[in-house]
Amino acid sequence: MWRVLVVEDDPDMREFFASSVSRCVALELAASLGTFAEARDWLGQDPKRIDVLLTDLGLPDGSGLDLIRLVLRLHPYCEPLVISMFGDEDNVLASIEAGALGYIHKDSTPDDIAQTILDMLGGASPISPMIARRVLTKYRSQLADPAPASAPAPQSGAAAAPAGTARQLLSPREQEVLALIARGFSYSEVARLQTVTVHTVRTHIKNLYAKLSVHSKTEAVFEATRMGLLSPHS
Amino acid sequence: MRQSLILLLVLVAQTPAAQVLQLQQADATVTLDGESTRDTVSLPYHWDRRHGGQAGLAEFQLQFDLDPLPNEPYGIYLPRLGNAYAIWLNGQLLQREGNLQQGNGADFAKAPRYVDIVPGLLQHHNRLQVRIRADVGRRGGLAPITVGPEHAVRALYQQDFTWRISGSAVVAIANLLVALMALALWATQVDNSGPGRPRRDPLYLFAGLAELAWTLRVADAVIEHPFVDWPWWGILTITALTVWVCSMILFCVEVANWRQLDAMSWLRRWMALMVVLSPPAAYMAMVSGIPMALTLLYAALAITAFAFLTQFLIQTRAATLQHRIVATAILLNIGIGVRDLVAFRLSDSYGGNTWMRYSSLMFGLALAYIVLSRLHQATTQARDLLTHMEERVASKEAELQLLYPRMEQLARDHERAAERSRILRDMHDGVGSHISTAIRQLQNGKASQDDILHTLRDALDQLKLSIDAMHLPPGDVGALLANIRYRLESRIQACGVELQWDVEELAPISRLDTNAMGQLQFMLFEAFSNVLQHAHATMLRVAAVPHGPGSHGLLLQIIDNGVGYDPTVSKRNGLRSMQQRAQAIGVELRLVSEPGRSMVEITAY
C-alpha cells in the first residue's frame, strides 16, 4: 500500500485526484491539501512515511517545486509526481531537477490518475520528445566543447543543470533511446527498433530521471541525515 | 727685358743655424696686350686691383742672400700665385702649374704652394724668378714669398693649407650635407591634410637651395679644375652667391612666418628676378667689360638684403626662438662679413680666404635647431593626439557600454513584442476559435456532447502546442512532428486509430523561422484533427524523409484509410486555412483524397 499525499489548490481537481486515489486498492490517501502552508504543517505533524507526493506546481502560497524539496528532505524515499496543466518543457525540467519521478496532465481521464501513479511507480516515467531533444542537444554540445567538463555543473537553471549532470552519465544506449524519443517514437516502437523490451526502455528513462535530478536520492539522504531530520538507521 | 734687382731682406726669425726670409719686393715685368712694362713692386701683387678687366702675364725677379750657406734642407712657401705659374731658382725650374700661354683654364691661384729647394742649388747670392699668367677677376697675382729652412717654412705652409683648403673642404662637405638634408626634408615632408594639392614646406626648400649655393661658393676655394671654363665658372659662382642671398632671405621669411604677408609675394618675385639677372650681369662684367652691370646687381642685392634683414632683426624682440636664433646667426655673419670686407677690399690681404665660409655654418646649425624643434613639436602633437584619441576611445567605449544594455533592452522588447503578437495570433486562431465554436455548439443545442468535447480538447491541445512552439528549435520539423504526436497520442489511441510512425532524421530547414514553424504546426494539427474527427479511419501513417537537392528539404505525408473527401470542391475552413498558411510560409501543400486513401503532402526546402 502506497501512501499518497495530494496537494492541489483547485477544490474540484483536488477532489477528483483524491477520489481517484481512494478508489484504487493499491493506494492509500494520506491527505488531500490545498496550499503549501497546509502541506508544510501537515508534514511537520504526521510522523508516518509518505510514499508518493502528488502536487500541483502552481500553489497559491508557494511553488510545488519547493514542496517537493521539502518532502524529499523529510522522506527521501518518497516519489514526487507533478500535476501539470500543460506538461511544458520548462516546468517539467524544473520538476525533474527538483527530484520528481514524473508528471501528470490535468486533463487526463479519471481512471488514468491512479493507474498512471502506479505505472510511474512501476518505472513508466514519461518523457516528451521536446525534453529528450533538449537534453540530447545540450549533451552533444558539451561533448563538442569539453571546456566546462572540469567546472562543476550549474545547480540552477532548467536546461543547464540536467545537461551538465547528464554529460558524464548518459550511456550510448541511453543516448540512442533519447534520440528515437526525440524523433517522436513511442516506448514500444523504441523497444522494437532497439530490439529490447519496453521494460528496458522504461528503465533507461527512469535512470535518466535520476541522473537529471540535481539532488539524487543518495544526496538527499545524506543531506537529511546531516540536518538531523532522519536517523541513520531509518 | 731685364731690370735691376732690388733685394729686401726682412728677417722674420733668425737662429744661428738658419734664417727665414720673407720676400716682399720684386722687380716685375708686366705684359698686357703684348706690351710690357717694368717696375719695382711691393708684394702682394693683386692683379685685379692693378689691372682690373685685363688678363696678362707678369714676371717677378726676387733676390736674396744667404751667409753662411745653410747645410739643412730649405723650402719656399708661396701663399698665393697664379692663375698659372712657373718658379725658377738660380735658373732652374722648380715648379710649374697651368698654361702660361692660354688663359681662362684651370685656376692654380687658390691653394698655397710649397716648393722644396734641391740640395746644392742655394748659393750665397740667389735669384728667384716667378712667372704668372692672370685672368680677369680670378684673384691672380703674387703674395709675399717666404724662404727658409724646410721645417719652419713647411709649418707655415701647412697651417695655411689646413685653414684655407682643408677647412674649406670640411665646410663645403658640411654645407652639402645640410643642403641635402634640407632638400630631402622638403621632398618627403608632405602635408596631405589640407584641401587641394599636397603641400611641402618651402622653409626646407629655401634652406636647401641656400646651403647648396653656399657649398658651391665655398668649394670654389679648392676646385682648381672647374667643370666649365672660365668665365662660365665665374658666372656660375656669382649666380650661386645670388641664389644664396635670395634663398636666405626667403628662408628668413618662412622662419619669421611672414609668408602670408602681401609684400612677400612681391619680395619673392624680386628675388626670382635677381637670380635670373645674375648670369647676364656676371657675363657683362667678366666678358663684355661692363663691370657696372655686376656692381648694380650686387648693389640691388645688398640694398634688398639690408632692408629685409634690418626688418628681420627689428622684429626679433617679439619673435619665436627660431627667429631669434636665425637673427643671431645673421648678426654674427654680418660681423664676419664686415671683417672680410675690411680684409679683402679695404686692406690688401691677398693671401687668405674669407672667414664667412666658416661662420655660415651657423645657418646650418640654426636649420638643425628648427628641424629638431619641429620634430619635437610634431612628437608632442602626436602624443597629445594619441592621448586625446585614447580619451575619445574610452569615452566612446563608455557610451557604447551604456548603449549596449539599451540596445539589448530594445532587442528584448522587440522579441517580446513579436512573441506576444505570435501568441495572440495563436490564441485567436487556435484556442479562441475552438472555444467560440464550442460556445456556438452549446448555444444552438444541435451538437452532440462528443462534438463539444472534441472541440474543447482541440482547444486545449492547441494551447499546449502553442506553448511547446515557444521552445521549438527554428526549422526543426522533426521536433515539431514528434511533439504533435506526443500531444495527440492519447486522442489517436482513444479513436482506435493505428498510428504508423515513419519519420527519419531530418535536417533543420533554416529558412523556417519561429513564425513559420507555428504556421506549419497549425497545418499539421489541422491535418491530424481532420483525420481523427472526420475520416473514420483505422490507420494513420506519418512519413517524413529528407528531400530535394542535398537532402536539405523534406517530404512529409500524412496518409489515412478513411472515407475521404473531395479536395477540389471542399469549402471547409480548415482546408482553406491550410492552403493559406502553406502559401504564407512558402511550402508546397498537396491534398489527395479518395475513399480508403487520403493524403496530405507537404514539401519544404
Side-chain angles (χ1 to χ4, degrees):
Chain A
M1 201 72 134
W2 303 83
R3 288 191 85 224
V4 181
L5 171 64
V6 175
V7 185
E8 163 65 60
D9 60 316
D10 181 351
D12 290 343
M13 291 302 288
R14 186 167 67 241
E15 179 54 34
F16 164 64
F17 291 135
S19 59
S20 180
V21 169
S22 300
R23 277 199 303 275
C24 181
V25 290
L27 302 175
E28 176 195 344
L29 183 67
S32 173
L33 308 167
T35 65
F36 180 84
E38 284 174 16
R40 188 184 53 210
D41 295 345
W42 185 88
L43 283 165
Q45 292 163 5
D46 184 66
K48 291 185 184 172
R49 65 177 168 79
I50 300 293
D51 299 312
V52 178
L53 167 69
L54 187 62
T55 179
D56 191 4
L57 280 182
L59 296 171
D61 58 342
S63 165
L65 299 177
D66 291 335
L67 186 58
I68 292 173
R69 294 187 193 104
L70 176 67
V71 167
L72 282 178
R73 267 212 310 277
L74 298 170
H75 305 279
Y77 297 100
C78 175
E79 304 280 18
L81 298 177
V82 166
I83 303 159
S84 166
M85 172 60 90
F86 303 119
D88 57 292
E89 195 172 331
D90 286 345
N91 278 325
V92 168
L93 272 175
S95 307
I96 295 173
E97 276 176 48
L101 183 68
Y103 51 94
I104 294 167
H105 290 161
K106 264 188 182 173
D107 57 334
S108 297
T109 53
D111 289 343
D112 274 347
I113 288 299
Q115 189 54 48
T116 306
I117 292 171
L118 289 175
D119 285 349
M120 287 189 204
L121 292 172
S125 292
I127 185 164
S128 76
M130 296 280 279
I131 289 166
R133 188 170 295 263
R134 186 147 149 186
V135 170
L136 265 184
T137 305
K138 277 282 176 186
Y139 179 67
R140 283 168 184 165
S141 74
Q142 290 199 3
L143 276 188
D145 176 20
S150 56
Q155 297 291 299
S156 61
T165 314
R167 191 195 167 284
Q168 301 160 344
L169 302 173
L170 291 186
S171 69
R173 181 51 66 95
E174 282 169 346
Q175 289 176 54
E176 287 166 12
V177 168
L178 272 180
L180 288 170
I181 289 170
R183 277 165 58 190
F185 289 100
S186 66
Y187 286 9
S188 56
E189 287 163 345
V190 171
R192 197 180 65 243
L193 288 169
Q194 293 282 303
T195 51
V196 292
T197 62
V198 174
H199 179 74
T200 308
V201 174
R202 284 179 172 173
T203 307
H204 284 315
I205 300 301
K206 194 174 182 187
N207 288 342
L208 191 71
Y209 263 74
K211 288 173 180 179
L212 294 181
S213 164
V214 172
H215 293 287
S216 67
K217 290 268 183 328
T218 316
E219 286 170 330
V221 170
F222 172 77
E223 191 179 345
T225 309
R226 189 174 59 80
M227 292 172 71
L229 296 171
L230 193 71
S231 86
H233 304 292
S234 64
Chain B
M1 290 196 298
R2 296 278 170 178
Q3 292 287 329
S4 63
L5 301 175
I6 296 172
L7 174 65
L8 179 68
L9 300 176
V10 177
L11 198 62
V12 175
Q14 190 169 16
T15 63
Q19 51 191 347
V20 174
L21 308 171
Q22 190 167 49
L23 313 179
Q24 288 189 314
Q25 276 202 316
D27 181 38
T29 302
V30 178
T31 305
L32 293 169
D33 295 332
E35 287 193 18
S36 298
T37 54
R38 208 172 65 190
D39 197 5
T40 299
V41 297
S42 294
L43 300 182
Y45 189 87
H46 195 157
W47 182 273
D48 290 330
R49 292 215 180 159
R50 294 174 188 257
H51 314 288
Q54 282 185 295
L57 296 167
E59 183 176 305
F60 300 90
Q61 302 269 2
L62 303 99
Q63 298 195 19
F64 60 95
D65 291 337
L66 293 171
D67 189 24
L69 273 177
N71 53 8
E72 58 184 316
Y74 257 49
I76 307 171
Y77 159 50
L78 303 100
R80 189 185 289 269
L81 80 165
N83 304 93
Y85 66 87
I87 303 166
W88 288 266
L89 180 63
N90 296 330
Q92 182 168 341
L93 180 65
L94 294 181
Q95 197 175 75
R96 182 185 182 132
E97 289 287 2
N99 190 337
L100 286 167
Q101 310 303 321
Q102 181 81 38
N104 292 339
D107 183 1
F108 294 96
K110 291 177 175 176
R113 304 292 165 184
Y114 175 81
V115 183
D116 279 320
I117 296 174
V118 182
L121 190 59
L122 285 174
Q123 300 169 2
H124 285 295
H125 183 72
N126 299 284
R127 190 164 50 101
L128 184 64
Q129 192 182 354
V130 179
R131 195 177 291 171
I132 64 163
R133 194 215 76 240
D135 299 327
V136 178
R138 293 183 94 175
R139 299 192 76 194
L142 179 65
I145 298 169
T146 305
V147 178
E150 184 196 354
H151 65 88
V153 174
R154 190 181 280 278
L156 292 172
Y157 160 76
Q158 279 176 340
Q159 188 184 19
D160 194 15
F161 188 90
T162 303
W163 273 105
R164 283 168 56 193
I165 304 303
S166 304
S168 294
V170 167
V171 171
I173 289 168
N175 273 310
L176 184 63
L177 288 175
V178 173
L180 293 177
M181 184 192 77
L183 291 175
L185 283 170
W186 178 74
T188 55
Q189 299 298 299
V190 183
D191 180 7
N192 293 311
S193 60
R197 284 191 311 170
R199 284 183 294 114
R200 293 187 164 87
D201 194 339
L203 181 139
Y204 296 131
L205 175 65
F206 294 131
L209 289 177
E211 291 293 320
L212 208 55
W214 194 248
T215 301
L216 191 65
R217 289 288 299 182
V218 173
D220 180 42
V222 295
I223 297 173
E224 292 181 336
H225 299 275
F227 317 118
V228 290
D229 281 345
W230 196 259
W232 302 111
W233 179 249
I235 292 171
L236 185 63
T237 55
I238 287 170
T239 306
L241 180 67
T242 315
V243 169
W244 177 69
V245 172
C246 294
S247 299
M248 281 307 299
I249 288 175
L250 294 175
F251 168 70
C252 289
V253 168
E254 298 298 326
V255 168
N257 212 12
W258 292 343
R259 194 191 311 169
Q260 306 301 331
L261 300 180
D262 291 340
M264 292 307 123
S265 63
W266 290 106
L267 182 68
R268 274 193 284 272
R269 286 176 194 148
W270 178 240
M271 296 288 93
L273 184 66
M274 291 285 104
V275 172
V276 171
L277 288 179
S278 253
Y283 184 86
M284 286 164 79
M286 301 178 75
V287 181
S288 311
I290 313 172
M292 184 56 73
L294 195 55
T295 306
L296 283 175
L297 180 80
Y298 280 162
L301 265 182
I303 291 168
T304 309
F306 179 76
F308 177 83
L309 293 176
T310 305
Q311 188 63 24
F312 187 81
L313 295 174
I314 288 173
Q315 299 290 337
T316 306
R317 280 187 180 182
T320 58
L321 185 57
Q322 63 180 21
H323 187 142
R324 290 181 188 186
I325 287 175
V326 173
T328 309
I330 288 170
L331 275 176
L332 184 72
N333 276 275
I334 287 174
I336 300 291
V338 170
R339 177 265 158 201
D340 286 347
L341 190 69
V342 171
F344 288 93
R345 298 289 175 230
L346 305 182
S347 70
D348 199 16
S349 174
Y350 175 61
N353 272 357
T354 58
W355 286 7
M356 203 165 163
R357 68 190 58 221
Y358 307 115
S359 64
S360 66
L361 279 175
M362 280 291 292
F363 291 114
L365 293 176
L367 179 67
Y369 168 76
I370 291 171
V371 171
L372 285 175
S373 66
R374 289 188 172 194
L375 188 67
H376 175 70
Q377 198 179 355
T379 313
T380 310
Q381 277 179 353
R383 198 165 45 235
D384 289 349
L385 192 67
L386 203 63
T387 312
H388 186 60
M389 286 292 286
E390 278 174 358
E391 283 170 3
R392 288 196 62 183
V393 167
S395 135
K396 282 284 171 200
E397 272 181 0
E399 278 179 32
L400 280 175
Q401 276 180 350
L402 288 176
L403 201 59
Y404 275 140
R406 223 177 302 156
M407 286 180 68
E408 280 177 3
Q409 184 62 42
L410 279 175
R412 275 198 301 272
D413 289 349
H414 180 77
E415 203 177 325
R416 202 176 298 135
E419 184 78 359
R420 195 175 297 145
S421 144
R422 193 180 65 77
I423 291 170
L424 281 174
R425 196 175 53 245
D426 284 358
M427 286 170 76
H428 178 267
D429 294 354
V431 182
S433 162
H434 284 107
I435 289 177
S436 62
T437 304
I439 291 169
R440 228 176 17 255
Q441 287 172 330
L442 284 168
Q443 280 176 337
N444 62 26
K446 292 179 183 170
S448 67
Q449 193 183 353
D450 276 354
D451 286 343
I452 297 169
L453 192 61
H454 195 94
T455 307
L456 287 172
R457 284 203 179 283
D458 269 3
L460 193 57
D461 286 339
Q462 279 280 14
L463 187 58
K464 289 176 184 172
L465 286 171
S466 292
I467 292 166
D468 291 341
M470 293 176 194
H471 296 290
L472 276 177
D476 195 342
V477 180
L480 181 71
L481 275 172
N483 194 56
I484 289 178
R485 175 183 183 178
Y486 176 73
R487 290 300 186 189
L488 300 184
E489 180 83 55
S490 58
R491 283 179 61 187
I492 293 167
Q493 283 178 2
C495 289
V497 176
E498 180 204 349
L499 178 63
Q500 295 179 3
W501 195 252
D502 191 9
V503 176
E504 295 186 15
E505 191 80 49
L506 302 171
I509 300 173
S510 55
R511 72 173 187 82
L512 295 179
D513 58 9
T514 309
N515 176 46
M517 290 293 280
Q519 302 276 25
L520 192 58
Q521 192 188 51
F522 263 102
M523 290 168 65
L524 294 172
F525 180 78
E526 191 66 35
F528 277 90
S529 193
N530 284 340
V531 173
L532 298 179
Q533 203 169 352
H534 306 293
H536 306 294
T538 56
M539 185 280 292
L540 172 61
R541 179 166 185 267
V542 179
V545 290
H547 185 66
S551 297
H552 292 309
L554 73 91
L555 177 69
L556 170 61
Q557 292 174 325
I558 298 165
I559 303 165
D560 70 81
N561 63 352
V563 293
Y565 56 94
D566 184 352
T568 55
V569 298
S570 177
K571 297 292 179 191
R572 279 190 302 175
N573 282 339
L575 292 182
R576 196 166 57 243
S577 167
M578 281 174 76
Q579 290 287 8
Q580 287 168 350
R581 290 176 195 277
Q583 207 169 359
I585 62 172
V587 300
E588 289 172 26
L589 174 67
R590 197 162 71 93
L591 303 174
V592 180
S593 182
E594 58 183 27
R597 190 178 189 277
S598 299
M599 179 174 76
V600 175
E601 186 178 89
I602 295 172
T603 316
Y605 298 105

